[in-house]
Amino acid sequence: MSSEDHKYDVNSVEKNQPDVGVHVVADGRHQFDVASIDLVQRRLKQRHVQMIAIAGTLGTGLFLGSGKALSGAGPLGALIAYALVGSVAYSSLCSIGEMTSHAPISGTFPHFAARWVDPALGFAVGWNYFYTNVITVPVEITGAQILITYWDSNPNHAGIYTAIIIVFACATNIFGVRYFGEAEFVFSIIKLTMITGLILVGLIIDLGGSPNHHRLGFQYWKNPGIFAGAGLEPQDIGLDRFLGILSVIVQASFSFQGMELVAIAASETENPRRNIAKAVRRVFFRILVFYILGIFVTGLIVPYNDPNLLQSTGTAAESPYVIAMTNAGIKVLPSIINAGVMTSAFSAANSFLFCSSRILYGLALRGQAPKVFARCTNSGLPLIAVGFSSIFAFLALMNIKSGGATVFNWFVNLSTVGGFFGWGSINLTYIYFHRGMKYQGIDRTKLHYWNRFQPWLSIWGLSWCIFFIIINGFEVFWTFTASGFLTAYINIPLFFGLYFGWKFMKKTEVWKPEEMDFVTGIPTPEETEGPYYPPEGFWQKLAEILF
């Protein structure tokens, strides 16, 4: 594609004078303007968006996976891994937040990649992100079902519980975005209450407020220590500890996966520019409090060599908080925590199902998926895309049979590595977006959301995503298995196969800065944003702070 395929608007000037603003408008074959067939409706309110942004995809990865991270890397090693992955997640969200602030439209970042980098990249990112999310749905549903075994361990009931969870998850999405928003609002409050409570209980236990009145302090940082080795290089302790940190990168990343959900929902959000900007600004504090503080407290109250951390029960029994409570003589809370974690797993499945259906819908709108998936009901629900995505939830039934657990470990690895490609693509797209905006003289500081540390944040995020993709399966080179190697690295040829396949078939080219379209099919702020009414009275001001 060349600049001859484009036309300039009446206010455009020569492209060698970018400072006064060159606004390129693409021709129709790029399908950038889909307003006539994009029939989703803006039904998510401010409180829905804020709570989804804070806790929408918090699931078993954080509540249970933190124990695996602690045993794998030690308290400081796990803290470093979570902080590093958290910084990458934050940079990715800042990048997609700014692009969404400019273009709150269906298709979100796969469309942004097609629009500002290369149509082939948009195709590859879209399908990669679709299958990444759609296979995470049965993982979270299975997690919810396993959590039920904490109370009912009868294996004959597993299929019934799994089927019930699947039906509820699918129904929540099929009823429409407003029901999804209300469900996630309630679930997010439960999750935030639980993680806040767990952190407080953990601090109380550490400071000696438990029934046994034993003050822990930093006892476990001294013995057994701050780092755990991976057990791969016993002759070189320093290297083995470094490998221990690398070994929990995938686990930490699974905990953060899906944070970009709030941007994916932008096309169905009231006042999207204002609400997305507010949500993204709060994410830094969410990462700092719920993830970093959470993993820090975990390392204070349980030693990384506690044998209970190595038991893969899948229930609250393997949560480091439950282990600490049991050791401290607290008997009632574990069952309550299990119920909360089960709710979190269901909520995460619900959110990932929403994500996958909207990504598929966005691809269909622009001819990168079958057009049938772009059909909407009168209420604005992409029913066929939701129905097709829901089919994959039934993969959770595989886990009932022997060998199913192995398949689901593969799913976790595949989805996490696919998530690295998603984050990396978001940051790469932002680098092109930033360059194009600067070249065409568009002032990004006038957007509802922009970050003064860009484009350095996106460069940071992209660099680490490439590193994570390369090293995610490093353990397989010590104890090689074909299945381990494939689940770690199959995403690489799959992603580039999608990219080059579409590129050769459609003969696409990478966009030059002067060719990028920042206008077509993008609604103006006047079209999307309603008037802002300042809160009045105590309760309205409190709601403004919380939501």
Side-chain angles (χ1 to χ4, degrees), residues 347-365:
S347 169
N350 200 27
S351 296
F352 286 120
L353 181 54
F354 176 87
C355 274
S356 56
S357 65
R358 289 339 186 249
I359 291 295
L360 182 60
Y361 171 72
L363 288 169
L365 281 177

Side-chain angles (χ1 to χ4, degrees), residues 53-74:
I54 295 172
T57 52
L58 280 179
T60 55
L62 176 63
F63 293 114
L64 302 184
S66 56
K68 295 178 182 177
L70 179 62
S71 64

